Amino acid sequence: MTERQRLFVGGAWVEPDGGHYEVVDPATEGIVGWAPEASREQVHAAAAAAREAFGPWSRKTPEERAAVLARAAEVMRRNLVPYADLAQAESGATTGTARGMQVGVAVARFRRYARVEPVEQPLPPQINEAGPFGGAAVMGALAVCQPVGVVACITSYNNPWANPAGKVAPALAMGNTVVVKPAPQDPLSVYRMAEALQEAGAPPGVVNVVSGSRPEVGEAAVDCPDVDMVSFTGSTAVGQRIAEVCGRSMKRQLMELGGKGAALVFDDADLESAVAGIGTTFSFYSGQICTAPTRVIAQRGVYDRLVSRLAGYASHLTVGDPRERGTVVGPVISAAHRDRVESYVELGRKEGARLVAGGRRSPLERGFYVAPALLADCTPDMRVVREEIFGPVVVVLPFDEEEEGIALANDTDYGLIDYVWSGDVARAFRVARRLRAGGVGVNTVGRNMEAPFGGFKKSGVGRDVGSYALHAYSEVQAIVWPG
């Protein structure tokens, strides 16, 4: 019988009040395991355990906390293959993605935040001309980063290792304690992360994991009085509801939400580079990634050639079992999401877009597969252009002049990551600065993992990654004294 996972609360493995639910392999539709269904009371117990552990953990030296993270990274590295196999079974990722971009990135993130950084910054002395007691005085000041407290980390289903690691590691490094509520589709990997931290010597209550298939579990974490901050990755709609609850009690928030990334391709662009970059939408997590360049805005001089090359690229991608060596595009997370993505492709056709590639369901008998789809001749008002599809679907719009391209790129509710391809680097950087997005890739879809990550508009609130994550999980305290 497949193992039934228990909750991790206060350093103990606890039977769930709500029983268990199936975790399904999106590639085979088989049962991967049974995840625990936490009750509201158990979520609050996890937060209470985190609150109790916060004082002692926050008073440890940064070096002591870093040592725990480093040991946890080593446990993950040592178990990379079995951890990746589980992540693959839960999420449908290809083998390379599961090992490199899921578990491998988690290891790298824990190692990154095992690097101790200064938490105090001396500020220049200032002459105070009108102090409360009269007369001028020289005042010294120090800016000190203090931990926020108990952080609820609510994670997304597209990466059950890198996404939680990007929250848990910097939060712990800053002296916070955490309650992790993983996505219901692939929570088992997060329990392995908890095991790694327990083996690494994380004290009881510092890390807690509670899962559930119902929204009530996440809601219990968000509205719990013992939670000081919510770090959420997911849809904008859910993020807005979380923000409303956090606002009532002034909880800190870090929100990484949806995206509809624009890829501006100018006439002088390197088409091979542009096609390869845009093509990651079809293959990377089967398009289930908020940073994907899903909205291509191509200058007319290159439009037809770009559409033709993208169509050829999409049609030659191997869709199938992510465990097979030649597979490039695995399944999406569920049957419901497959149906949703397919409905958007059909909607695009009805709206007047031209379906250039895809549009047919995979002939595989089992699994939630979607053939990469390319919709050309789109217009800005189409829903397929305006709404996040979160699947292997790319839409293409034409533009004439630079100003029009910039206006089209900014004509969206989202603003996470945009992209510019141009042989004129000066123009590419000029355009990049005018895009209303938290990040812009110039002639690349690659990321610098020390660069701040987050969105404008409805793509989120706050920044993380690198040193910015340490600031995200801290409060800044000013200490002032007479010089």
Side-chain angles (χ1 to χ4, degrees):
M1 178 180 288
T2 306
E3 181 182 355
R4 292 178 180 265
Q5 176 66 53
R6 291 179 292 173
L7 304 168
F8 189 59
V9 177
W13 296 95
V14 179
E15 288 294 331
D17 290 343
H20 293 80
Y21 68 93
E22 295 177 353
V23 176
V24 176
D25 184 334
T28 67
E29 302 183 45
I31 297 175
V32 177
W34 295 82
E37 190 84 63
S39 64
R40 182 178 180 84
E41 291 73 23
Q42 287 179 312
V43 176
H44 284 201
R51 172 66 66 205
E52 184 177 353
F54 170 66
W57 178 251
S58 64
R59 289 191 292 271
K60 287 184 180 292
T61 67
E63 290 78 11
E64 289 174 315
R65 295 195 295 265
V68 173
L69 298 183
R71 290 193 295 269
E74 177 55 26
V75 174
M76 296 174 201
R77 185 203 62 78
R78 199 168 59 238
N79 292 284
L80 187 146
V81 172
Y83 284 171
D85 288 347
L86 175 60
Q88 181 176 59
E90 289 190 285
S91 69
T94 62
T95 301
T97 295
R99 294 183 181 182
M101 299 305 298
Q102 293 189 347
V103 183
V105 169
V107 170
R109 287 183 169 172
F110 269 82
R111 286 176 174 166
R112 163 63 181 84
Y113 295 109
R115 189 174 79 208
V116 177
E117 295 191 16
V119 295
E120 298 181 356
Q121 179 185 2
L123 302 176
Q126 183 183 47
I127 297 176
N128 189 336
E129 297 287 356
F133 306 109
V138 177
M139 306 300 293
L142 188 67
V144 180
C145 290
Q146 299 278 18
V148 178
V150 176
V151 181
C153 302
I154 304 178
T155 65
S156 58
Y157 68 72
N158 60 343
N159 196 323
W161 277 93
N163 186 258
K167 300 178 184 297
V168 172
L172 296 185
M174 276 306 307
N176 303 283
T177 54
V178 299
V179 176
V180 187
K181 192 280 173 186
Q185 297 92 338
D186 49 11
L188 301 177
S189 290
V190 182
Y191 286 103
R192 302 292 80 75
M193 185 180 293
E195 286 178 352
L197 281 157
Q198 184 180 41
E199 184 177 336
V206 168
V207 177
N208 307 269
V209 183
V210 288
S211 59
S213 62
R214 303 186 305 270
E216 287 81 1
V217 178
E219 291 168 359
V222 171
D223 67 20
C224 179
D226 276 320
V227 170
D228 302 296
M229 174 180 174
V230 176
S231 176
F232 172 71
T233 299
S235 72
T236 294
V238 174
Q240 288 172 317
R241 293 199 295 273
I242 290 173
E244 290 173 2
V245 176
C246 288
R248 290 198 288 269
S249 55
M250 298 304 292
K251 281 183 170 68
R252 283 281 301 278
Q253 303 166 45
L254 179 62
M255 297 281 182
E256 198 269 280
L257 307 177
K260 191 73 175 179
L264 270 77
V265 183
F266 286 89
D267 287 346
D268 60 353
D270 179 339
L271 278 193
E272 184 176 346
S273 172
V275 169
I278 295 163
T280 60
T281 301
F282 301 130
S283 57
F284 196 44
Y285 297 123
S286 301
Q288 299 168 116
I289 184 160
C290 51
T291 59
T294 55
R295 194 165 46 105
V296 177
I297 302 169
Q299 201 162 18
R300 288 195 189 274
V302 76
Y303 181 87
D304 289 336
R305 283 182 292 147
L306 181 63
V307 168
S308 177
R309 290 196 186 190
L310 282 171
Y313 186 96
S315 64
H316 286 93
L317 296 176
T318 302
V319 180
D321 187 340
R323 296 168 180 83
E324 295 294 331
R325 185 181 297 273
T327 296
V328 178
V329 183
V332 296
I333 196 66
S334 66
H337 191 53
R338 175 196 61 198
D339 295 346
R340 177 180 181 274
V341 173
E342 290 179 341
S343 72
Y344 266 106
V345 175
E346 183 58 28
L347 172 64
R349 294 177 63 177
K350 290 179 179 178
E351 289 180 314
R354 176 166 56 96
L355 182 63
V356 183
R360 294 189 180 90
R361 180 168 294 190
S362 167
L364 296 169
E365 292 183 3
R366 302 189 69 81
F368 312 129
Y369 296 97
V370 176
L374 180 67
L375 291 163
D377 304 342
C378 297
T379 57
D381 59 320
M382 292 179 177
R383 285 180 57 192
V384 289
V385 173
R386 307 203 67 82
E387 298 176 13
E388 184 179 38
I389 298 173
F390 217 60
V393 181
V394 171
V395 300
V396 191
L397 302 80
F399 76 96
D400 291 302
E401 301 300 327
E402 181 179 308
E403 288 295 325
E404 181 190 3
I406 293 169
L408 287 170
N410 288 334
D411 183 20
T412 175
D413 291 335
Y414 298 103
L416 189 56
I417 305 287
D418 285 343
Y419 305 87
V420 181
W421 270 275
S422 174
D424 183 342
V425 176
R427 172 168 66 178
F429 275 84
R430 180 177 69 241
V431 170
R433 289 188 177 93
R434 294 187 58 192
L435 297 178
R436 300 291 295 165
V440 181
V442 173
N443 294 325
T444 184
V445 293
R447 283 177 57 195
N448 180 323
M449 297 311 293
E450 288 296 316
F453 179 74
F456 288 16
K457 298 183 278 190
K458 291 184 179 180
S459 283
V461 177
R463 296 292 183 272
D464 66 358
V465 178
S467 297
Y468 294 88
L470 297 173
H471 293 291
Y473 293 98
S474 64
E475 296 278 17
V476 179
Q477 178 186 60
I479 301 176
V480 181
W481 66 92

